[in-house]
């Protein structure tokens, strides 16, 4: 993409500028030749000016094809000074109405960085204004020289102003780029920190569980998070969705995840959410409300699930027989609610607990049927790993408005050893 933009800028640089200059000079010559109220004092000089401008346009076109020639770009506006001088002499000299065309060339050079580019347009303007003396050394009288000197002062002021504005614009652009690089660096570091907070593979969990998860942020840093870890004789599983996106949401997500994990010794999952609510509470009541929806569960070794839902509402239990149950709760999100209730559900062998963020629903075109369509995906996808892969593939197909997160845990109880008889 960057190479394409550079090629476009090269193509639309000298050639685009010279196209306008050549067009105006040619138009000036045609008007002078075919309208009775404009003067043609020297047809050869006038058409010579057109030829010089068109030759400069050919050179600019070659530069668009061969960027190495751009080092000679100054030759194009230099030719334009000569072309305008010839046009001026050929269309009435001091009575020519076409001298202002040279302003385009003055601005062209003065916009380049560096104070030396104030001198170049002044020298070029002198060439344009003094061109008549090459054809007639006696030239205009002293009054005309005074007029030309005053015109030169005006163009010099213009060159200084354009050069300074260009310099200030370059400085602002450099500062903007520096801030962007610094911000991108902060985002990259924040993304690395957030990635480091994701749980490792499920090798640390009891063998009774097969757990998989994925998080596809809409930006470099997202507000979704998930976690799992051993708890008691089973495991704990968490998925949260912080309101908003970006670094701020990522910081809240990291804080909520850390506080929930710190409550690993508490048997009641609701306790972890209460601690999180206290941890992210702000003393500034006038600030914008920041809330987090969250599902947190403890799954025992015998398949009993104690779970709490803080306004999330996107946890489903896919039974081994293909039926799907929604785990519903009236509790409010963290940051809005103040108390949460723990519920109890039992998973049988082969049952899979699936929790997703609301970004998953955005993957479907029909918002009203999105949850039903996702349930249909669960019905036809019995494997936890396949469920996570299917959601991640959907999220990768196109740009997403929200983070997409999914975690799936299948309960596979270990066989009970047979006691020997006698």
């Amino acid at each position: 993409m960057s190479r394409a933009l550079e090629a476009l800028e090269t193509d639309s640089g000298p050639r685009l500028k010279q196209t306008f200059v050549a067009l105006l000079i040619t138009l000036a010559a045609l008007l002078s030749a075919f309208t009775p109220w404009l003067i043609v004092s020297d047809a050869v000089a006038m058409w010579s000016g057109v030829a010089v401008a068109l030759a400069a346009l050919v050179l600019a076109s070659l530069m668009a094809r061969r960027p190495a020639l751009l080092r000679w770009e100054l030759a194009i506006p230099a030719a334009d000074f000569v072309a305008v001088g010839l046009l001026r002499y050929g269309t009435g000299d001091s009575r020519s109405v076409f001298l202002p065309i040279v302003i385009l060339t003055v601005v062209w050079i003065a916009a380049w960085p560096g104070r030396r580019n104030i001198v170049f347009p002044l020298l070029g303007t002198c060439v344009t204004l003094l061109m008549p003396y090459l054809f007639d050394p006696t030239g205009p009288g002293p009054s005309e020289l005074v007029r030309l000197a005053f015109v030169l002062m005006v163009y010099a002021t213009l060159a200084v102003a354009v050069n300074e504005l260009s310099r200030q614009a370059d400085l602002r652009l450099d500062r903007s780029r520096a801030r962007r690089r610094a911000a991108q660096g902060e985002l990259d570091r924040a993304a690395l920190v957030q990635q480091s907070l994701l749980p490792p593979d499920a090798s640390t969990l009891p063998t009774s569980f097969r757990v998989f998860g994925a998080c596809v942020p809409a930006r470099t840093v997202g507000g979704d998070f998930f976690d799992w870890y051993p708890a008691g004789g089973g495991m704990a599983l968490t998925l949260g969705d912080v309101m908003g996106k970006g670094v701020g949401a990522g910081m809240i997500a990291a804080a909520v995840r850390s506080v929930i994990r710190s409550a690993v010794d508490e048997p009641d999952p609701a306790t972890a959410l209460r601690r999180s609510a206290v941890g992210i509470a702000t003393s500034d009541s006038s600030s914008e409300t920041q809330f987090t929806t969250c599902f947190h569960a403890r799954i025992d070794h015998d398949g009993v699930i104690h779970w709490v839902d803080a306004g999330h509402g996107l946890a489903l239990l896919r039974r081994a027989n293909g039926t799907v149950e929604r785990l519903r709760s009236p509790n409010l999100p963290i940051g809005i609610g103040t108390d949460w209730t723990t519920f109890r559900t039992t998973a049988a062998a082969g049952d899979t607990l699936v929790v997703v963020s609301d970004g998953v629903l955005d993957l479907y075109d029909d918002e009203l049927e999105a949850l039903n369509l996702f349930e249909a995906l669960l019905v036809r996808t019995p494997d936890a790993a396949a469920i996570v892969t299917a959601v991640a593939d959907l999220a990768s197909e196109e740009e997403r408005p929200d983070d997409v997160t999914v975690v799936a845990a299948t309960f596979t109880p270990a066989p009970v050893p047979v006691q020997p008889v006698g």
Side-chain angles (χ1 to χ4, degrees):
M1 180 65 72
S2 60
R3 290 182 179 179
L5 290 175
E6 290 175 0
L8 180 62
E9 290 173 356
T10 299
D11 184 64
S12 62
R15 183 167 68 176
L16 180 62
K17 298 172 185 175
Q18 184 58 26
T19 297
F20 287 108
V21 175
L23 180 63
L24 288 173
I25 291 176
T26 303
L27 180 60
L30 291 173
L31 289 173
S32 298
F34 294 104
T35 55
W37 55 85
L38 293 177
I39 301 173
V40 177
S41 54
D42 190 319
V44 174
M46 181 182 72
W47 292 113
S48 296
V50 173
V52 172
L54 293 176
L57 178 59
V58 172
L59 178 58
S61 299
L62 290 175
M63 289 181 179
R65 294 178 176 271
R66 300 180 181 179
L69 295 175
L70 284 172
R71 69 183 66 181
W72 305 107
E73 183 180 356
L74 184 61
I76 299 175
D80 288 338
F81 284 119
V82 174
V84 176
L86 290 170
L87 175 69
R88 176 174 176 265
Y89 178 75
T91 56
D93 195 5
S94 62
R95 293 172 292 173
S96 176
V97 298
F98 302 118
L99 179 60
I101 295 177
V102 80
I103 294 177
L104 298 177
T105 310
V106 170
V107 172
W108 184 341
I109 302 177
W112 292 343
R115 296 300 189 186
R116 67 181 183 278
N117 292 310
I118 298 176
V119 177
F120 293 154
L122 296 185
L123 294 176
T125 303
C126 288
V127 170
T128 299
L129 296 177
L130 299 177
M131 184 74 68
Y133 290 96
L134 296 177
F135 299 97
D136 183 8
T138 60
S143 61
E144 178 63 13
L145 291 178
V146 172
R147 189 179 75 87
L148 295 181
F150 187 78
V151 171
L152 185 62
M153 291 174 57
V154 172
Y155 285 176
T157 304
L158 174 65
V160 171
V162 170
N163 187 263
E164 178 61 21
L165 290 174
S166 178
R167 188 183 72 86
Q168 293 293 334
D170 287 341
L171 289 175
R172 288 193 295 270
L173 182 59
D174 289 341
R175 288 194 292 266
S176 177
R177 287 172 175 170
R179 288 193 296 267
R180 182 175 180 180
R181 287 193 296 268
Q184 186 60 48
E186 292 295 329
L187 282 174
D188 292 340
R189 286 188 288 272
L192 289 175
V193 171
Q194 189 175 43
Q195 287 295 319
S196 69
L197 293 175
L198 294 179
D201 58 40
S203 60
T204 60
L205 301 178
T207 56
S208 300
F209 307 99
R210 296 180 64 250
V211 186
F212 302 90
C215 181
V216 185
R219 298 182 183 176
T220 305
V221 181
D224 287 4
F225 67 94
F226 67 91
D227 195 15
W228 60 63
Y229 47 89
M235 64 165 289
L237 181 148
T238 308
L239 188 146
D241 184 356
V242 180
M243 180 187 68
K245 293 176 282 292
V247 176
M251 293 174 63
I252 297 294
V256 172
R257 171 200 177 272
S258 299
V259 174
I260 290 178
R261 182 179 270 253
S262 69
V264 62
D265 295 328
E266 295 289 341
D268 184 6
T271 302
L273 268 60
R274 296 188 190 101
R275 289 184 179 179
S276 297
V278 173
I280 66 172
T282 174
S283 59
D284 183 5
S285 59
S286 64
S287 64
E288 183 181 357
T289 301
Q290 180 77 53
F291 65 85
T292 303
T293 66
C294 182
F295 178 89
H296 178 56
R298 299 290 184 88
I299 311 175
D300 296 336
H301 62 87
D302 57 359
V304 175
I305 305 174
H306 294 90
W307 57 274
V308 57
D309 189 302
H312 194 70
L314 293 174
L316 305 97
L317 186 62
R318 188 211 185 270
R319 298 292 185 179
N321 61 9
T323 60
V324 177
E325 301 175 10
R326 298 182 188 178
L327 305 184
R328 304 174 186 271
S329 166
N331 295 160
L332 296 174
I334 300 171
I336 298 178
T338 57
D339 196 20
W340 293 271
T341 302
T342 298
F343 298 87
R344 184 179 185 276
T345 304
T346 301
D351 291 352
T352 301
L353 176 63
V354 181
V355 192
V356 298
S357 66
D358 59 1
V360 172
L361 304 184
D362 293 332
L363 301 177
Y364 297 94
D365 295 332
D366 191 339
E367 297 181 3
L368 297 178
E369 289 295 320
L371 188 53
N372 293 330
L373 293 173
F374 180 67
E375 286 188 15
L377 182 149
L378 297 184
V379 170
R380 63 177 183 269
T381 312
D383 184 69
I387 292 171
V388 172
T389 299
V391 173
D393 290 344
L394 281 174
S396 301
E397 289 179 358
E398 58 185 15
E399 186 176 349
R400 305 163 309 282
D402 199 0
D403 306 329
V404 173
T405 305
V406 56
V407 62
T410 300
F411 176 59
T412 55
V416 178
V418 178
Q419 297 293 332
V421 179

